[in-house]
Every structure is written in C-alpha cells, then in structure tokens.
Amino acid sequence: MKLYKYRLDKGYLIPDENGDVTVLINGEFVIIYDKNGNEIKDAKFKYIGNEQIHLNKLKYIAKFINININENIFLAYPTFQERIITINKYMGKIFEDYVYFLLVSKNYKVKREKELYISLHNFTLSRYHNKPDFIVEDKIVIEAKISKNDYNQTLEYSKYYKRGMIVFPFTGECRVPKGWICVFNVLLDKSRFYSLLEDLLSQSK
C-alpha cells in the first residue's frame, strides 16, 4: 500500500507534497480522499508528460484480450518515471497473456516460466535468467517483449534451446543469437507468428 499527496485544481489532481488530497494505491485499487477523509469519485489525474501515448498502446493491446484499462491505476503515481514504469510493466504482462492465448488456442503444448536450472543467485549474487516466458513443445523458447530484448538473457537461453523467438506487439530493438528470430507486429499479423513458429518447430525435429 502506498500513499501520496495531491492538490485538486479545476477538477484535476496534481502531485503536491503539501496538498490536502490523499491518494491510496493498494494493488490495482486507487482510492482518493479529501482533507476531511471523504472519498473523491470524479477527479482525474493530470498528465505530467506523454503518458497518454503509452496508455493508448496499453489500451490497444488490452483490446485483444478483452480487458478494460483503468487509467487511475497508472496515473496515481506522482512522477512521470513511476507512471511509465508501471504502464510498461503492465503492458508486458498483458502482452505475455496474449501470446499465451495465441499458443494455447492452437493446442500447442506450452510450459510457462519453467525453470531451466536451479538459480544460485543468493550465493553468487550474479544475475541469472532461468525462466523463459514460454517453452513450446519442449523445443522452442518464446519471449514476449514490449520494446527491446536483453541479448544476454537470450544468449543464456540459447545454451539450452538452440531455437527461439523474441516477439513484440509493435516494433522494437532485437538482437538474437544464431538459430533465434525476432518477430514484430504480432498483434496485427498472427498468421506470420504461427508460420514462423511452425518453421522453427520443423527445424527442431
């Protein structure tokens, strides 16, 4: 649970450490109180920067899995950086859900976030990547990304799976080892996603 202070100006909430409006964030619940402890229902959070661009992308992805987006969950944070981090984190989550839907709807055998090996992070303090988003038919790793993949992460996965896909809802930055491919604009071109997946599976027999 987090508490932040805001002030109300012409119907819009603006971050203000000395403000008399309290915003409570508890998971996906946002409650707004005035100085007397009364809940405020109709106020809107004022944009700090270009949050709307990121929110529009989030809403666009959300349409494909039939969920509604409550902007307050993201705009309740008082800094632009916190808002964008929260938006992107949630965008990544629902895009991953969408990719999972694509896979199971075609009856692929899918393991989600299965450990490749036991992590020794607590002992070595080194960063390990051992839970890919999806392992399909025990042959192909698929990672769902929003804007950029971590090459070192992909390289580590490639030690265990020689072929894999990094998939994006729109465009993005992607660098992969030999045997792996980058797939962009998955939201608009499902057939290409399936076709490329089938190619990789056929090469992995």
Side-chain angles (χ1 to χ4, degrees):
M1 186 174 67
K2 298 180 180 180
L3 293 174
Y4 299 105
K5 286 294 185 180
Y6 278 75
R7 61 183 167 86
L8 195 57
D9 185 4
K10 298 178 181 178
Y12 286 92
L13 289 164
I14 300 171
D16 186 342
E17 291 182 357
N18 299 313
D20 58 7
V21 175
T22 300
V23 173
L24 183 151
I25 305 174
N26 189 9
E28 295 188 3
F29 294 96
V30 176
I31 306 175
I32 306 165
Y33 298 101
D34 65 16
K35 61 182 178 181
N36 297 316
N38 300 311
E39 188 174 354
I40 301 173
K41 294 284 191 180
D42 55 354
K44 295 183 178 181
F45 290 92
K46 189 175 181 65
Y47 293 131
I48 297 173
N50 64 350
E51 296 99 320
Q52 189 169 14
I53 295 174
H54 297 266
L55 283 167
N56 287 343
K57 288 183 178 181
L58 174 60
K59 291 176 181 177
Y60 184 75
I61 297 174
K63 288 194 305 182
F64 287 84
I65 54 175
N66 296 315
I67 63 173
N68 294 315
I69 298 298
N70 176 9
E71 288 191 1
N72 284 356
I73 296 172
F74 312 99
L75 300 180
Y77 292 90
T79 69
F80 176 72
Q81 183 179 19
E82 286 176 301
R83 292 179 179 186
I84 297 304
I85 288 173
T86 307
I87 292 169
N88 287 341
K89 184 177 180 180
Y90 195 70
M91 196 184 306
K93 176 186 179 300
I94 65 171
F95 179 58
E96 185 179 314
D97 289 342
Y98 174 70
V99 174
Y100 182 68
F101 166 77
L102 291 182
L103 295 169
V104 298
S105 67
K106 292 293 186 178
N107 297 316
Y108 287 109
K109 183 173 72 173
V110 182
K111 295 176 182 176
R112 194 169 187 178
E113 296 186 346
K114 178 179 173 58
E115 287 189 355
L116 298 181
Y117 53 87
I118 297 174
S119 173
L120 299 177
H121 171 76
N122 291 337
F123 299 98
T124 65
L125 299 182
S126 299
R127 185 177 182 185
Y128 284 89
H129 304 289
N130 70 334
K131 290 184 179 181
D133 292 338
F134 309 106
I135 301 173
V136 181
E137 301 292 337
D138 289 321
K139 297 176 180 178
I140 302 295
V141 165
I142 297 182
E143 280 283 294
K145 300 295 183 183
I146 294 299
S147 61
K148 184 178 181 179
N149 76 306
D150 182 335
Y151 178 73
N152 288 330
Q153 179 186 49
T154 309
L155 189 61
E156 194 159 340
Y157 292 157
S158 71
K159 297 174 184 176
Y160 299 86
Y161 290 86
K162 298 303 180 184
R163 303 190 189 281
M165 301 171 67
I166 310 295
V167 299
F168 298 83
F170 311 109
T171 57
E173 295 181 40
C174 186
R175 179 185 170 211
V176 292
K178 183 179 179 180
W180 286 57
I181 61 173
C182 305
V183 184
F184 303 107
N185 298 309
V186 169
L187 294 175
L188 294 179
D189 199 347
K190 293 186 295 185
S191 61
R192 182 169 178 268
F193 166 79
Y194 288 129
S195 176
L196 291 170
L197 175 57
E198 283 297 320
D199 285 345
L200 287 180
L201 287 170
S202 65
Q203 295 172 36
S204 302
K205 290 181 179 179

